[in-house]
Each structure stands twice: as C-alpha cells, then as structure tokens.
Amino acid sequence: MACKSTMYDPYENAVKVMEEAMEIGHINKAMFEIIKNPQRETKVYLPVEMDDGSVKVFEGYRVQHSNIRGPFKGGIRFHQDISLSEVKALSVWMSLKCAVANIPYGGAKGGIKVDPSTLSKRELKALTRRYTFAIAPLIGPDTDIPAPDVNTNSQTMAWVLDTYSQLNGKPTPGVVTGKPVELGGSRGRNSATGRGVVISSSLLLKDYGKELKGTKVIIQGMGNVGANAARIFYHRGAEVRGVSDVSGAIYCPDGLDIEDISAFLETPGSLLKDYDAKGVVHITNKELLTSECDILVPAALENTITEEIAKEVRCKYIVEAANGPTTTEADLILEERGIPVIPDIFANSGGVIVSYFEWVQNIQELTWERDQVNSMLEGLMTKSYREIASVVSEFGCTYRMAAYIVALRKLVYAEEIKGIFP
Ligand code: GLU
C-alpha cells in the first residue's frame, strides 16, 4: 500500500485520462503533445527569516499549463507533500475545468512546500509575500490570476494582492480572486466551491428522479470546500452522516448536527478527534469512505479513492469536491460496479466560476449581491452539466470521460483555429 501511494503520479493520471477521452470522443490527436504539456513550469527558492532569527529556504512552484482560452488561472496550495508533478496535474485540471465551465480562462496552479501549521502568522506572511515577489513577473490581472486552494484562504490572497500592488505601484485587485470582500472580493466566493458541489449533486440526483432532501451524504475533508458543502447539504435537507479532517472521522447514523460541528471547528486548533455529541462515533478514514450512503464526497486531497477503496465503497454516487481524488484504476472499478462519479473538473468548478465573477466585478469596478452571484453560479453549472450529460448519452461513457471530451474539444478547437506560433 505504501509502495502504491508513493508510485502514484497525479500528472500521469491526468494524461492517461485525457488520452482515453480523446480516443472515446474521436478528438484529433495532432495537438495532444501541446495540450498535455504545460506552457511554463517555474520553481522558486524562498528565503524566510524565522521568528528565532534562523533563515529557512522554502521551495515554491507556479505551473502555467495553458492560456489559449484566456489568462492562466488557478490556486496556490501550501502543503508539505507538494511536488512538481502534483502542481502540473493541478494546472492541467484547471485548464479543463475552465473549458468545461465555459469561462474565458486557461489553467495554472502554484504552491509552496510547507506545512503552514508549523509557521507563525508573521512567518507565513513573509513566506507568502516572498513567493508573490518571486512569481510577480509571471502574474497579473490579464496574464495569470491566482486564488486560494488547500491551506490558503482570503487572508493569503490579501497578502498576495498587497505585495503585487506594491510592486505594481497601484491597487490591482484583479490580480487575485478569493480575496476578502473588503479588498474587492466577491460575495459568495468563499462558499462557492462547496455550493457548486451541492449544485452538482442535486443535478445528478434529479437525473435519477431523486432529490437532495433525505439524501445520505458522507464528506471526507472539512477544509473550506468540505465544510461549506456540508453546511449547504445540511440546510437543504440532506442527512450528512459522516465527516472527517486530518485527525479522524466522525459518524452518526441519524445524521450529524453540521451547525454544531462548524461552530466547534471555528475555534482555531480544534480537531474532529475531540468532537463529542450524542450518537456520534469516531471511526477511521477508511471506515468513513466505505460507510453506506447515497453520495460520497471526497473533499480532501488526490489519491484517496484508490483501487482498494473503490472495491469497498458502499455509496450510490461519488461527487468529487477535491481535485483528482480518484485514481484511474479506481475509476475502472467504480465503472464496473455501476457507481457514477461526477468528476472534479465539473463538481468543484464553483470556486473558479465565482472567481471569474469576482474578476469581472473588479475589472468593471462593480459589486454584485450574493443572490445574484449564487444564481449565476447555478445557471452556469446547470448549463455545463447539460453539456456533459449530452456527451454521456452520445458516447455511452462515464461522466468523467464526457467532461474531459467537452473540455478537450474546446482546447483542441482553440489550438487548431489559432495555429502554431510563429
Ligand atoms: N483552487 C480552486 C480550484 O482548484 C479555485 C481556483 C480559482 O478560483 O482560480 O478550482
């Protein structure tokens, strides 16, 4: 098992799926070499003066996969296990995601190899500012627009925005999305990815003649995406039976009180392993993933639905809130078992869609109401779901293949029509 997870290469995984989708969708492969490789990979070394006076050098990345359909777009992740292969895969998925959502962006991703929980706020701020300084020549409101991702948030974006604006000599809100509303962020952006996961789930259920009310849901991961999805599921009448964080998982057969759990998690440093309430039991991550439910939502990192887990899941559907949670081998097993998977590049696109709305508001110097943002998000996601569903019927393929076909058709068409420079 340990051997398998170290061998897992997310970029190879992404390329394999793209190749298969091109095959199934009869897409011209002439441009594939261009599409599979990022346009630029940048690695930076970031010295930071630590609180104890020592100097540490951190590694950072920005991979710009494609800007054929519009500026590069994608989050910044802080994680101790981050690798170039992972950032590359994440940048590919951003290009595909923006194409599926039909928003005028390409794809990129960045990150720093660090466990942010080991740094003080001052150290984290210094590291974020130094990283922004290092990639500043590459980013900008119409070149490459970062956003939050795993372990980064609106505070991180405020530091990125300020550093960039200082260098640029003027406030430049359009350089990042997912920033605080007070600094030009959009209402509804913080919960947008989680909201999109719930929208995807209800579109899927509708196709099966079902509704969210009473649907049993399990969510792996209570970061920004998982926690917001849990709250919105809960308020729409779904029964969230199990959730987890890095410390462990909790389960209640009658449904968890998500408001109580959210309030508990609000205290900095609190972990689910210490949560206690009537009827709640503590279980392992594997037990959580293989608990009986209607919808399983992996909302943590890549490579969580492995072959082993895929054989044992007891859900009716999987809705991927994380990027790349399911391996290609696991996908085959789920297909054989008749478990539909709503893929990441559609299911978690709510974040980048509202990032797009934020950027549009910044450029036009407008502010929109939350209800307007939420209903526009629902409208865009419904439209792209219909596009994916029609490809599912056209080729009799999985939702993942269909989403990839939808995206690759757009990317290949854009490559073909512009031609190769020079
Ligand atoms: N990090 C998010 C994602 O993976 C959002 C990206 C963005 O808003 O640019 O989709």
Side-chain angles (χ1 to χ4, degrees), residues 1-8 303:
M1 194 52 218
C3 179
K4 185 160 276 162
S5 64
T6 49
M7 275 162 56
Y8 169 79
N303 194 23

Side-chain angles (χ1 to χ4, degrees), residues 164-184:
Y164 186 87
S165 298
Q166 297 292 343
L167 289 167
N168 202 27
K170 58 181 178 195
T172 318
V175 69
V176 284
T177 57
K179 53 195 171 285
V181 173
E182 297 73 13
L183 294 178

Side-chain angles (χ1 to χ4, degrees), residues 302-337:
E302 301 92 81
N303 194 23
T304 46
I305 313 284
T306 57
E307 242 176 299
E308 185 197 353
I309 298 290
K311 284 181 192 152
E312 292 180 40
V313 291
R314 288 186 291 147
C315 57
K316 298 197 180 81
Y317 317 97
I318 293 180
V319 177
E320 294 183 336
N323 288 308
T326 311
T327 66
T328 44
E329 295 79 11
D331 242 346
L332 275 180
I333 294 166
L334 295 168
E335 192 180 351
E336 274 163 26
R337 292 190 56 199

Side-chain angles (χ1 to χ4, degrees), residues 129-152:
R129 286 187 180 279
R130 186 65 197 225
Y131 171 75
T132 310
F133 175 79
I135 64 162
L138 304 175
I139 62 172
D142 44 28
T143 45
D144 183 352
I145 306 130
D149 196 76
V150 173
N151 291 335
T152 55

Side-chain angles (χ1 to χ4, degrees), residues 73-75 94 97 109 145 147-149 177 189 323 348 351-352 355:
K73 183 83 189 84
M94 284 311 301
K97 199 183 295 187
K109 202 78 167 200
I145 306 130
D149 196 76
T177 57
R189 173 62 184 88
N323 288 308
N348 71 30
V352 74
S355 275

